[in-house]
PDB file of all heavy atoms in Angstrom:
ATOM      1  N   LEU A 112      -6.933 -13.199  -0.883  1.00 72.00           N
ATOM      2  CA  LEU A 112      -5.766 -13.844  -1.475  1.00 72.00           C
ATOM      3  C   LEU A 112      -5.212 -14.910  -0.553  1.00 72.00           C
ATOM      4  O   LEU A 112      -5.219 -14.742   0.668  1.00 72.00           O
ATOM      5  CB  LEU A 112      -4.668 -12.806  -1.744  1.00 72.00           C
ATOM      6  CG  LEU A 112      -5.003 -11.679  -2.717  1.00 72.00           C
ATOM      7  CD1 LEU A 112      -3.880 -10.659  -2.735  1.00 72.00           C
ATOM      8  CD2 LEU A 112      -5.243 -12.235  -4.113  1.00 72.00           C
ATOM      9  N   PRO A 113      -4.698 -16.011  -1.106  1.00 70.00           N
ATOM     10  CA  PRO A 113      -4.028 -17.009  -0.272  1.00 70.00           C
ATOM     11  C   PRO A 113      -2.695 -16.476   0.233  1.00 70.00           C
ATOM     12  O   PRO A 113      -2.116 -15.564  -0.355  1.00 70.00           O
ATOM     13  CB  PRO A 113      -3.821 -18.187  -1.234  1.00 70.00           C
ATOM     14  CG  PRO A 113      -3.832 -17.580  -2.595  1.00 70.00           C
ATOM     15  CD  PRO A 113      -4.767 -16.406  -2.516  1.00 70.00           C
ATOM     16  N   ARG A 114      -2.216 -17.063   1.320  1.00 67.00           N
ATOM     17  CA  ARG A 114      -1.013 -16.559   1.965  1.00 67.00           C
ATOM     18  C   ARG A 114       0.209 -16.589   1.053  1.00 67.00           C
ATOM     19  O   ARG A 114       1.076 -15.717   1.133  1.00 67.00           O
ATOM     20  CB  ARG A 114      -0.723 -17.363   3.245  1.00 67.00           C
ATOM     21  CG  ARG A 114       0.526 -16.886   3.965  1.00 67.00           C
ATOM     22  CD  ARG A 114       0.715 -17.550   5.317  1.00 67.00           C
ATOM     23  NE  ARG A 114       1.942 -17.101   5.932  1.00 67.00           N
ATOM     24  CZ  ARG A 114       2.133 -15.926   6.512  1.00 67.00           C
ATOM     25  NH1 ARG A 114       1.127 -15.067   6.554  1.00 67.00           N
ATOM     26  NH2 ARG A 114       3.287 -15.594   7.048  1.00 67.00           N
ATOM     27  N   ASN A 115       0.313 -17.570   0.171  1.00 72.00           N
ATOM     28  CA  ASN A 115       1.519 -17.701  -0.645  1.00 72.00           C
ATOM     29  C   ASN A 115       1.496 -16.830  -1.899  1.00 72.00           C
ATOM     30  O   ASN A 115       2.391 -16.919  -2.740  1.00 72.00           O
ATOM     31  CB  ASN A 115       1.745 -19.166  -1.036  1.00 72.00           C
ATOM     32  CG  ASN A 115       0.586 -19.734  -1.846  1.00 72.00           C
ATOM     33  OD1 ASN A 115      -0.415 -19.061  -2.055  1.00 72.00           O
ATOM     34  ND2 ASN A 115       0.720 -20.969  -2.299  1.00 72.00           N
ATOM     35  N   THR A 116       0.484 -15.982  -2.036  1.00 78.00           N
ATOM     36  CA  THR A 116       0.420 -15.084  -3.182  1.00 78.00           C
ATOM     37  C   THR A 116       1.566 -14.076  -3.130  1.00 78.00           C
ATOM     38  O   THR A 116       1.850 -13.506  -2.083  1.00 78.00           O
ATOM     39  CB  THR A 116      -0.919 -14.323  -3.202  1.00 78.00           C
ATOM     40  OG1 THR A 116      -1.992 -15.256  -3.290  1.00 78.00           O
ATOM     41  CG2 THR A 116      -0.995 -13.371  -4.390  1.00 78.00           C
ATOM     42  N   ARG A 117       2.217 -13.865  -4.265  1.00 84.00           N
ATOM     43  CA  ARG A 117       3.311 -12.887  -4.341  1.00 84.00           C
ATOM     44  C   ARG A 117       2.732 -11.529  -4.708  1.00 84.00           C
ATOM     45  O   ARG A 117       2.130 -11.357  -5.776  1.00 84.00           O
ATOM     46  CB  ARG A 117       4.349 -13.334  -5.370  1.00 84.00           C
ATOM     47  CG  ARG A 117       5.064 -14.630  -4.998  1.00 84.00           C
ATOM     48  CD  ARG A 117       5.977 -15.097  -6.113  1.00 84.00           C
ATOM     49  NE  ARG A 117       6.995 -14.110  -6.425  1.00 84.00           N
ATOM     50  CZ  ARG A 117       7.363 -13.753  -7.658  1.00 84.00           C
ATOM     51  NH1 ARG A 117       6.761 -14.301  -8.709  1.00 84.00           N
ATOM     52  NH2 ARG A 117       8.311 -12.860  -7.845  1.00 84.00           N
ATOM     53  N   THR A 118       2.895 -10.575  -3.807  1.00 87.00           N
ATOM     54  CA  THR A 118       2.313  -9.250  -4.012  1.00 87.00           C
ATOM     55  C   THR A 118       3.340  -8.162  -3.754  1.00 87.00           C
ATOM     56  O   THR A 118       4.360  -8.378  -3.099  1.00 87.00           O
ATOM     57  CB  THR A 118       1.107  -9.018  -3.077  1.00 87.00           C
ATOM     58  OG1 THR A 118       1.514  -9.245  -1.721  1.00 87.00           O
ATOM     59  CG2 THR A 118      -0.055  -9.937  -3.417  1.00 87.00           C
ATOM     60  N   PHE A 119       3.044  -6.972  -4.269  1.00 88.00           N
ATOM     61  CA  PHE A 119       3.834  -5.778  -3.975  1.00 88.00           C
ATOM     62  C   PHE A 119       2.913  -4.570  -4.078  1.00 88.00           C
ATOM     63  O   PHE A 119       1.780  -4.674  -4.549  1.00 88.00           O
ATOM     64  CB  PHE A 119       5.038  -5.653  -4.917  1.00 88.00           C
ATOM     65  CG  PHE A 119       4.680  -5.427  -6.370  1.00 88.00           C
ATOM     66  CD1 PHE A 119       4.779  -4.170  -6.943  1.00 88.00           C
ATOM     67  CD2 PHE A 119       4.256  -6.485  -7.170  1.00 88.00           C
ATOM     68  CE1 PHE A 119       4.468  -3.966  -8.275  1.00 88.00           C
ATOM     69  CE2 PHE A 119       3.940  -6.296  -8.509  1.00 88.00           C
ATOM     70  CZ  PHE A 119       4.045  -5.028  -9.065  1.00 88.00           C
ATOM     71  N   ALA A 120       3.394  -3.434  -3.611  1.00 90.00           N
ATOM     72  CA  ALA A 120       2.569  -2.226  -3.603  1.00 90.00           C
ATOM     73  C   ALA A 120       3.296  -1.087  -4.306  1.00 90.00           C
ATOM     74  O   ALA A 120       4.530  -1.020  -4.313  1.00 90.00           O
ATOM     75  CB  ALA A 120       2.223  -1.823  -2.168  1.00 90.00           C
ATOM     76  N   LEU A 121       2.524  -0.185  -4.898  1.00 91.00           N
ATOM     77  CA  LEU A 121       3.058   0.997  -5.558  1.00 91.00           C
ATOM     78  C   LEU A 121       2.195   2.199  -5.207  1.00 91.00           C
ATOM     79  O   LEU A 121       0.975   2.081  -5.068  1.00 91.00           O
ATOM     80  CB  LEU A 121       3.065   0.820  -7.080  1.00 91.00           C
ATOM     81  CG  LEU A 121       4.035  -0.209  -7.671  1.00 91.00           C
ATOM     82  CD1 LEU A 121       3.686  -0.476  -9.132  1.00 91.00           C
ATOM     83  CD2 LEU A 121       5.475   0.262  -7.544  1.00 91.00           C
ATOM     84  N   LYS A 122       2.811   3.355  -5.071  1.00 90.00           N
ATOM     85  CA  LYS A 122       2.079   4.596  -4.848  1.00 90.00           C
ATOM     86  C   LYS A 122       1.748   5.224  -6.200  1.00 90.00           C
ATOM     87  O   LYS A 122       2.592   5.298  -7.081  1.00 90.00           O
ATOM     88  CB  LYS A 122       2.923   5.546  -4.002  1.00 90.00           C
ATOM     89  CG  LYS A 122       3.211   5.011  -2.610  1.00 90.00           C
ATOM     90  CD  LYS A 122       4.122   5.954  -1.834  1.00 90.00           C
ATOM     91  CE  LYS A 122       4.457   5.365  -0.464  1.00 90.00           C
ATOM     92  NZ  LYS A 122       5.403   6.217   0.299  1.00 90.00           N
ATOM     93  N   VAL A 123       0.525   5.675  -6.338  1.00 92.00           N
ATOM     94  CA  VAL A 123       0.037   6.188  -7.622  1.00 92.00           C
ATOM     95  C   VAL A 123       0.330   7.677  -7.750  1.00 92.00           C
ATOM     96  O   VAL A 123       0.117   8.458  -6.815  1.00 92.00           O
ATOM     97  CB  VAL A 123      -1.481   5.944  -7.761  1.00 92.00           C
ATOM     98  CG1 VAL A 123      -2.011   6.548  -9.055  1.00 92.00           C
ATOM     99  CG2 VAL A 123      -1.785   4.450  -7.703  1.00 92.00           C
ATOM    100  N   ARG A 124       0.811   8.046  -8.923  1.00 90.00           N
ATOM    101  CA  ARG A 124       1.027   9.462  -9.226  1.00 90.00           C
ATOM    102  C   ARG A 124       0.336   9.785 -10.547  1.00 90.00           C
ATOM    103  O   ARG A 124       0.599   9.135 -11.566  1.00 90.00           O
ATOM    104  CB  ARG A 124       2.536   9.748  -9.325  1.00 90.00           C
ATOM    105  CG  ARG A 124       2.872  11.210  -9.547  1.00 90.00           C
ATOM    106  CD  ARG A 124       4.373  11.448  -9.592  1.00 90.00           C
ATOM    107  NE  ARG A 124       4.995  10.768 -10.723  1.00 90.00           N
ATOM    108  CZ  ARG A 124       5.737   9.686 -10.625  1.00 90.00           C
ATOM    109  NH1 ARG A 124       5.955   9.117  -9.450  1.00 90.00           N
ATOM    110  NH2 ARG A 124       6.274   9.142 -11.702  1.00 90.00           N
TER     111      ARG A 124
END
Side-chain angles (χ1 to χ4, degrees):
L112 299 173
R114 180 172 178 76
N115 60 356
T116 300
R117 295 174 60 224
T118 55
F119 65 103
L121 292 167
K122 297 177 183 177
V123 177
R124 184 178 64 254

